[in-house]
Amino acid sequence: MSDDDDSIRSWVDAGVAHIELNRPEALNAWTPDMGRALLTTLNKASADPAVRAVLISGAGRAFSAGADVKNARELLPNGDPDLSGRLREIYNPIVLAVRSAPKPVIAAIHGACAGIGASLALACDLVLAAENAYLLMAFVRIGVMPDGGISLFLAERVGLTRAAQLTMLGDRLPARTALDWGLVTEIHPVDELMPSATALARRLAEGPTVALANIKRTLNDAAQTGLARHLELEATRQQEHGGTFDYAEGRAAFIEKRSTRFEGR
C-alpha cells in the first residue's frame, strides 16, 4: 500500500495498516485532496488481505483540527458556498468506509481532535487518547452545525443533554472526561500513546479476523443502521447555513483571528 498524497502517509507492518494524517503545519486540518487521499487509503486497507487492523494517527502536535476553514469553498449556482458537496463526495464516504471496514479501526488521538477530525475518531471502533488530547465540536464557532456523523455518535454514546452541551457550546472536552463519558477507550502519557496504540492494533491483527468482522457488523446492526441516512440529513441541513450571515461572519472571524459577532440570520 503506497502513499496517495503527501498529506496522508501509510504503511503496513505486522498486519497493521498505519494511516497518518500528515499536515502538521496546519494541525492536520483537512483539505479536499487530503480527504480524497484518506478515503483511497482506507479503501485500500479495507480490501488488502494482508491488513488485519487499521491504526489512524496524526503527525505533529495534534490529531486533527478539523476541516481547513481557510480553504476556499466551491460555490452553488446561486452564489452561496457549497457546504454539502464535500460531505457527500468525500467526508461522509470516509466515515462509512471506517464503519464498513471488515477489520478493526483504531484512532490514536493527541492534542486537538476537532470538527471532522473528531467525527473520524469517533467513527473508529476504539479510540486511544494521549493525556493532552481533547475533543472539540468546533462547528458552532463558525455558525454551522456538526457533520460527519458526530451528532449521531454523540447522542448514542453520551445522551442528548451532553451531546447538546458539546455541540451547542463548542467547549473543549479533555481526554479524562471523554474517558469517563465513554468516548475514548484508554488514556496514555503522550510519549506512550503510539507504542500503546500499535501494540493494541497488533493484538487485534493477530486475532480471529472473521469473528472480529462479524462483531463489528453486528454492532453496526445494533446501533448504526441509520448512519447513511443520518449523514445525508446532516449534509442537507449543513447547506442551509451556506447563505447565512452567521456562517460568513464565523468563517471571517476565524480567519482574521477575532471575536465573532453573530446576528442570528
Side-chain angles (χ1 to χ4, degrees), residues 40-215:
T40 297
T41 305
L42 280 168
N43 286 334
K44 285 183 178 179
S46 186
D48 187 346
V51 172
R52 299 177 62 178
V54 178
L55 174 57
I56 304 175
S57 62
R61 295 184 291 117
F63 178 73
S64 174
D68 192 337
V69 176
K70 297 179 182 179
N71 192 266
R73 286 282 183 173
E74 298 82 5
L75 299 179
L76 297 177
N78 66 1
D80 287 345
D82 183 357
L83 301 188
S84 60
R86 294 179 190 176
L87 287 173
R88 292 188 171 106
E89 176 199 352
I90 309 168
Y91 302 154
N92 290 351
I94 287 172
V95 172
L96 291 171
V98 171
R99 292 309 319 147
S100 64
K103 49 201 71 175
V105 183
I106 302 165
I109 66 172
H110 69 291
C113 181
I116 192 66
S119 299
L120 172 63
L122 295 185
C124 294
D125 300 297
L126 300 170
V127 183
L128 273 61
E131 291 175 337
N132 71 344
Y134 61 87
L135 297 173
L136 175 62
M137 314 314 152
F139 306 88
V140 71
R141 296 188 177 189
I142 59 168
V144 297
M145 59 169 278
D147 54 34
I150 197 73
S151 53
L152 174 64
F153 299 145
L154 289 175
E156 72 181 7
R157 296 175 199 180
V158 303
L160 291 178
T161 300
R162 284 175 169 169
Q165 174 185 341
L166 292 172
T167 56
M168 291 184 176
L169 299 182
D171 293 333
R172 294 183 181 188
L173 185 72
R176 181 61 57 184
T177 307
L179 178 66
D180 292 342
W181 288 11
L183 291 173
V184 304
T185 312
E186 300 173 3
I187 296 179
H188 297 276
V190 175
D191 60 354
E192 296 177 16
L193 174 65
M194 288 312 298
S196 298
T198 300
L200 178 59
R202 288 181 176 177
R203 174 183 171 185
L204 290 166
E206 294 169 356
T209 305
V210 176
L212 292 173
N214 277 329
I215 289 170

Side-chain angles (χ1 to χ4, degrees), residues 14-29:
V16 177
H18 295 257
I19 300 176
E20 183 181 61
L21 312 181
N22 188 42
R23 293 189 73 221
E25 74 287 352
L27 299 181
N28 299 318

Side-chain angles (χ1 to χ4, degrees), residues 215-247:
I215 289 170
K216 182 170 181 175
R217 290 172 59 197
T218 305
L219 290 173
N220 285 343
D221 289 341
Q224 298 191 344
T225 55
L227 178 58
R229 183 193 66 81
H230 188 85
L231 289 168
E232 175 57 28
L233 181 65
E234 285 180 338
T236 298
R237 291 181 176 168
Q238 191 69 284
Q239 187 54 53
E240 295 175 8
H241 303 103
T244 65
F245 170 88
D246 284 350
Y247 168 67

